[in-house]
Amino acid sequence: MRRQRKLLASILGAALMLTACGGGGSEPAASGNGATDTPDETTDTGDDGDTGDTGDATGDTEVSGTIDLLTPLFEGSSGAEALEGEILPAFYEQYPDVTVNVEYTTYGNLNERLTTAVASGLVPDVLMMGVGWIEPFASQGILKDLGELGVTVEELSEDINEAVLRAAQYDGKLYGIPLMLDARIGIYRKSMFEEVGLDPEQPPTNWDELREYANLLTVRDDNGELQRAGLDLFAHDLRQIWMPFLFSNGGELFDESGQEVLFNSPEGVEALEFMNTLVNEDGVTEVGFSTGTDLRLIQVDQAAMMIGHNDLWRVAEDSSPEILDDLGAFVINEERPAFFHGGTIVNVAENTDNPEAAIALARHLAAPEAALIANEQRGNVPVHKDLLDSEYVQNNALVQFVMENLEYAYPEGGTEAWMEARGNFANALEEALLEVKSPQQALDDLAGLTEAAIQR
């Protein structure tokens, strides 16, 4: 058991590095602190985005001044080139008297960077943060109510799904403009469905079918050694794997006020018990079962299904393009269809000295033309409905699937204490899957820690 715990801890650590809260794609190799820092190159830049007039609200060439931008996106030299070579020049065409100082960081370092900024009173004028981060930072008075700058939910909802806009609001006010999403959805190999007699165009539609299919698709050798996982549940942070089961079972993390913990409800416990059954009773996957490489099990025929990140498509284009036509996607469904979504939101600091320039830049960064470049770079999901028809989305089946099913998207977060609370989830879920605690006990203990964080 101790060895299993160590293995799972290693997996969780690796998954966290790969799936930081709001981001998709690979993490930047380095975080910058200077205005012109350029991270190491890790990804290519999209080339089908037009960075022309992004149609901001003010459209005022009299806006001027110098503003600071903190971004966990645009990793690698190609990312910096996209931002500073395409996106910002288009901004300067409209606002020639504004200067933008760019500071690059990573999602892994962003919370620490923001905490330092808040402590020093030097919060960047424009900053990006993940889904679930709005409540903690808005409640501390760090973010500007965008309604004061003329941006409204009603305006944004014309082009952005309302489910996505929820993650940018707190206490009835709008504190950010969504830029991109990343999702945890069901992903499967169609050829393996055919191999066991399943319809390759009919993925599981409820938990019973998911369990049945996972068992059919699991392959062990004569010695009982796992050769192919029927369902890979360990490819990403366990918190983000469990949530699709919680949400699909009708559960919620918190009540609407963010003050009451709901995830240890019967719906949440059943979700964790279901995962426990798949792992410990059915053996459709195992702790420590890996490729020994950076590739996902499903990329190398060692898993037939997974709860995966939409970024898998971009990753597979580079490392295993032969499987692209073999990939299918589905949402987890029990009481309701559901998938987890994170993402990136553009915000303006409450203490900015230049709100006109800051909101102009925020609008520009989150506008469809610039957002398309950022999404393509990371293999993520645009929030703008019109981008469903873009070449990028139409050539990425997983991103397209998420966009077509945004009504089933559920974000994490929902409490002012989320930045503290989220760090406890992985260990609690791990204890349940390793049968150190029952799912009920693990979630009750987690609820106790979370309630204490909320009270602080």
Side-chain angles (χ1 to χ4, degrees), residues 10 85 152 167-168 198 226 271 274 303 349 378 387 394 401:
S10 298
T152 66
L198 295 172
L226 184 64
F274 181 64
R378 298 180 70 88
L387 292 182
Q394 290 301 309
F401 176 84

Side-chain angles (χ1 to χ4, degrees), residues 322-383:
E322 70 280 1
I323 72 166
L324 290 174
D325 290 339
D326 197 33
L327 293 177
F330 61 95
V331 295
I332 305 300
N333 192 6
E334 181 66 2
E335 295 297 324
R336 61 188 180 187
F339 64 84
F340 162 90
H341 86 81
T344 298
I345 299 170
V346 185
N347 314 276
V348 173
E350 170 65 24
N351 65 351
T352 179
D353 292 329
N354 199 338
E356 293 82 9
I359 192 59
L361 177 62
R363 281 185 175 277
H364 178 86
L365 293 169
E369 295 82 0
L372 182 61
I373 295 174
N375 277 278
E376 185 167 9
Q377 181 206 14
R378 298 180 70 88
N380 269 347
V381 182
V383 299

Side-chain angles (χ1 to χ4, degrees), residues 165-184:
L165 282 172
R166 287 199 303 261
Q169 300 174 61
Y170 166 71
D171 198 22
K173 298 178 181 177
L174 180 70
Y175 286 94
I177 307 175
L179 189 156
M180 66 171 60
L181 300 179
D182 57 90
R184 307 298 176 272

